[in-house]
Amino acid sequence: MAYALAPSNAVAYTSGRDISQTLESARSEVEERFLEGGTVLLSVMDVLNRLLNSLESVTTALDNKEASDTSADLRATVESLMALPVTEENRQQALVSLAHTGRELRKHVADMQETMRYLRTFAVTVKITGAGLAEFAGFAQEILERIYSGTDEVNRFATHLDSLDKEVKLAASFGAGVSKSYADTVPAVAGALRDDAAKIAGHRKDLGVIAREVGAIARAVQGKVASTLSALQIGDITRQRIEHVQATFSLLEDFFAGEDGARLDAGARQRLQNVIHHLTAAQMSDMCANFQRESEHVVKTIASFDHDMREILKLRDQMSGQSGEAGGNFMRALESSVSAAHEIVKQVDTASRQADQVSQSTIGTAAKLSEAIGNIRAVKTDIHYMALNTNLRCSRLGEEGRSINVVTAELRIFAGKLDDSADAIVNGLPALEAAAGRVAPATDAGAGNLGESLTSAVGNIRSAANVMENELKVLAENGREVATKISLLIGKLDFQHNLGEVLAGCADMLEGVAGTDVADISDLAETIAPLDRKIFKHYTMVQERSIHRSIIPASEDSTSAPAETAETAKAENDEDLFADALF
């Protein structure tokens, strides 16, 4: 049964133009909304890229080899600190050994001083006994002067040892205090440094885990954005299909105004218009269904961004919180521990300088003692030979020289004792020098190097912390911008609101104009074949062509062109579709 026709051609044509104008409004709305949505999506993609770049910078800072090396340096410094009590204990033992060696030498010096007193007594006795013999007067004075000279050498020797003993006692006294201080403070300070380094390493590890979680979510959102950008092709497809419907009305008007249309009577025109209304209504109805389905998918995807962004912001806040107060506390704790360590290092430096001074002084004293021993041996030799010469003279004098001979024999005996003491001292000097070497700082890295290592390690950790803090600030800003962009995006890409209603309204209007029944135009097949081919050629999708043929079957005149219109048109128009997908 034929569709109830409009009262006149003019009314029909006006209806077509009115529908086209309504469709134009819908087409413009589709183009504007999807263009705006695509722009917002691209801006979200851009800020997501910046967010991922920030995460990469954060990850690079976290994986910074120098920061790892710095932690290793700090641990090595802690190990050096832990070795200080043992080092100081060894130094104390070396000082004890040095003091013991000095005391042993002092005994031999005391023996030499005692011997020199006896020699002075015997020399005075020789002078008194030989007072009546002119040839012994000068000799007695000479031998007495040599004994005084030897006594001075021995006393200088004793003075050197006394001075060394005082230095050793002072160093030992100071060292005992340092050693006790080390025992009380070094383990606690070293443990604090070790704990601080471990906390910082753990802090960095936690940040790394959070950064990877943020990265995973951001990349998932990035994938969703890319998928949504692809899904926005429905906007271009919808726009094109509206244009095809508009073109169909325009081609119908052109056909009516042309030679072929002029040959049709009013009834034929109305039947053809009815079929075109059904055709456009079917195209619009199918287009609305596709738009509804695809845009709903887009809206659901966009809506899921909100949850993703809340997760990113939550993780961002965790990172900011960990890098803020907690990170600052870690650094302050570390710097406090390092300050305490520096105090210990100052003590190390003082103790090392004092020990080095004792060591150098001992080595210098040993050299002076060696020289003094040579002088004492020379005095002993002179006394020995002078006494021997006196013995020979006394033998020639007979009974007169007997008393002097007895005294000079004693001189020779006691002068020989100087050799015994000198030999004992000479044998003890290597032990003195060895003990002095053990007193000197026992490590290659002195206190100055230890202090520099601490300062350098903390400086590097502070620098790494500053880099991390700056990168996290950038990350926080980018996270905030992503959240803002996505919030805007959710509003912009709600295609169901207004736009879907407009398209559905156009489809309902066309269905209302078309009515329920499709007019029979089989008798007009040959006449409308050119119009059929022109409309068919506009289509870019198989779906459109299928709908067209379900309403206007192909005529014999149009069967020669299907290959051209269906295949070549598809190839050409599909390229146009992708080229215009994002307007």
Side-chain angles (χ1 to χ4, degrees):
M1 185 169 123
Y3 172 70
L5 302 178
S8 68
N9 290 341
V11 173
Y13 298 157
T14 300
S15 176
R17 283 194 296 272
D18 289 343
I19 291 173
S20 291
Q21 288 175 0
T22 303
L23 289 174
E24 177 60 23
S25 298
R27 189 201 66 78
S28 298
E29 182 73 12
V30 168
E31 186 172 20
E32 181 181 350
R33 291 285 294 279
F34 276 85
L35 178 60
E36 188 175 25
T39 301
V40 174
L41 273 175
L42 288 174
S43 68
V44 169
M45 183 69 82
D46 178 64
V47 76
L48 275 172
N49 288 335
R50 293 205 302 275
L51 178 66
L52 288 171
N53 288 337
S54 298
L55 281 169
E56 185 175 350
S57 298
V58 169
T59 303
T60 301
L62 288 169
D63 295 338
N64 191 337
K65 186 178 183 300
E66 291 182 4
S68 300
D69 291 344
T70 296
S71 296
D73 291 343
L74 186 58
R75 287 193 295 272
T77 304
V78 169
E79 294 304 317
S80 298
L81 277 174
M82 289 296 291
L84 288 178
V86 175
T87 300
E88 188 56 36
E89 180 61 29
N90 291 338
R91 182 151 45 212
Q92 285 297 301
Q93 292 176 2
L95 284 169
V96 170
S97 175
L98 181 58
H100 175 74
T101 304
R103 285 194 298 272
E104 290 299 312
L105 289 179
R106 192 70 180 76
K107 292 178 183 178
H108 298 301
V109 172
D111 290 342
M112 291 176 71
Q113 287 175 321
E114 184 69 20
T115 299
M116 294 308 294
R117 281 195 295 272
Y118 279 113
L119 288 174
R120 285 198 305 274
T121 300
F122 289 127
V124 171
T125 302
V126 168
K127 188 174 182 179
I128 294 171
T129 304
L133 299 174
E135 60 183 300
F136 286 113
F139 161 73
Q141 184 60 36
E142 183 179 355
I143 199 170
L144 190 59
E145 288 176 357
R146 291 301 291 153
I147 289 172
Y148 281 133
S149 174
T151 300
D152 289 341
E153 287 292 341
V154 172
N155 288 338
R156 276 196 295 272
F157 197 108
T159 300
H160 290 318
L161 282 178
D162 289 342
S163 176
L164 176 63
D165 186 58
K166 288 179 182 178
E167 289 184 13
V168 170
K169 285 181 179 178
L170 181 63
S173 175
F174 179 80
V178 170
S179 183
K180 185 177 185 305
S181 174
Y182 286 172
D184 293 340
T185 60
V186 167
V189 170
L193 281 173
R194 190 184 292 112
D195 290 345
D196 294 338
K199 285 177 183 176
I200 289 173
H203 172 61
R204 294 172 66 84
K205 183 178 178 181
D206 292 341
L207 285 178
V209 171
I210 297 173
R212 286 190 289 275
E213 290 179 9
V214 173
I217 297 174
R219 278 185 285 274
V221 174
Q222 194 179 42
K224 288 181 180 180
V225 170
S227 172
T228 305
L229 277 168
S230 177
L232 286 186
Q233 290 182 24
I234 186 60
D236 190 60
I237 291 171
T238 301
R239 174 183 61 80
Q240 289 189 47
R241 293 189 70 174
I242 291 173
E243 290 174 350
H244 298 164
V245 171
Q246 290 175 301
T248 300
F249 282 119
S250 178
L251 288 172
L252 177 62
E253 289 193 7
D254 292 342
F255 177 79
F256 283 153
E259 185 178 338
D260 291 336
R263 290 199 294 268
L264 297 177
D265 59 24
R269 284 170 176 260
Q270 289 175 348
R271 282 187 292 131
L272 176 58
Q273 187 182 39
N274 172 260
V275 169
I276 294 301
H277 283 163
H278 276 282
L279 172 62
T280 54
Q283 295 286 13
M284 280 297 295
S285 178
D286 183 73
M287 179 203 69
C288 283
N290 288 342
F291 179 84
Q292 178 75 15
R293 182 178 62 253
E294 296 299 327
S295 62
E296 185 176 334
H297 174 69
V298 169
V299 171
K300 284 181 179 179
T301 303
I302 295 298
S304 70
F305 289 177
D306 186 53
H307 172 74
D308 294 333
M309 287 320 304
R310 281 200 301 271
E311 287 299 308
I312 287 179
L313 291 177
K314 183 171 71 176
L315 292 171
R316 182 208 66 179
D317 291 342
Q318 286 182 26
M319 294 185 79
S320 298
Q322 291 214 7
S323 68
E325 183 180 352
N329 285 339
F330 291 152
M331 288 309 304
R332 284 195 293 274
L334 177 63
E335 288 167 352
S336 175
S337 300
V338 168
S339 177
H342 271 300
E343 289 301 316
I344 294 174
V345 168
K346 288 179 184 177
Q347 296 177 2
V348 173
D349 191 40
T350 302
S352 297
R353 283 199 306 271
Q354 195 164 35
D356 188 56
Q357 181 180 342
V358 169
S359 177
Q360 294 301 321
S361 178
T362 302
I363 293 171
T365 298
K368 292 174 183 177
L369 293 179
S370 295
E371 182 182 352
I373 287 295
N375 293 336
I376 291 169
R377 286 185 189 277
V379 170
K380 169 260 175 186
T381 301
D382 288 346
I383 294 172
H384 177 79
Y385 282 112
M386 289 171 70
L388 180 61
N389 189 35
T390 302
N391 286 144
L392 293 174
R393 289 184 182 184
C394 288
S395 297
R396 288 196 298 271
L397 289 175
E399 190 63 31
E400 190 178 11
R402 182 184 298 277
S403 59
I404 297 174
N405 197 23
V406 172
V407 176
T408 54
E410 290 292 330
L411 272 174
R412 286 171 59 198
I413 292 171
F414 275 93
K417 289 184 177 181
L418 287 176
D419 256 348
D420 295 337
S421 298
D423 287 342
I425 289 173
V426 169
N427 292 334
L429 287 179
L432 189 73
E433 291 176 333
R438 291 193 297 273
V439 168
T443 57
D444 293 333
N449 289 339
L450 189 58
E452 290 174 6
S453 297
L454 277 170
T455 302
S456 175
V458 174
N460 290 337
I461 289 175
R462 167 61 68 189
S463 176
N466 288 339
V467 170
M468 177 63 61
E469 186 177 349
N470 291 335
E471 294 298 345
L472 286 172
K473 283 181 181 177
V474 174
L475 177 65
E477 291 170 2
N478 287 333
R480 191 180 304 110
E481 187 176 356
V482 167
T484 302
K485 293 281 186 183
I486 286 184
S487 295
L488 177 64
L489 180 67
I490 292 173
K492 294 292 184 184
L493 296 188
D494 184 9
F495 302 121
Q496 299 297 325
H497 182 64
N498 291 335
L499 186 54
E501 297 168 0
V502 169
L503 294 175
C506 288
D508 290 342
M509 178 185 66
L510 284 172
E511 288 178 358
V513 171
T516 57
D517 300 318
V518 181
D520 181 9
I521 56 170
S522 57
D523 58 317
L524 305 177
E526 184 177 347
T527 303
I528 67 170
L531 173 63
D532 178 46
R533 286 196 297 272
K534 287 179 181 179
I535 294 174
F536 198 84
K537 192 174 182 180
H538 273 84
Y539 299 138
T540 54
M541 289 175 291
V542 173
Q543 196 170 358
E544 289 179 295
R545 292 191 282 272
S546 297
I547 292 171
H548 182 98
R549 286 299 172 222
S550 68
I551 294 175
I552 305 178
S555 64
E556 292 182 6
D557 202 21
S558 62
T559 52
S560 60
E564 177 188 0
T565 57
E567 301 236 3
T568 58
K570 181 180 186 299
E572 293 173 1
N573 291 328
D574 281 350
E575 290 182 6
D576 293 339
L577 173 62
F578 285 110
D580 294 339
L582 297 178
F583 312 104

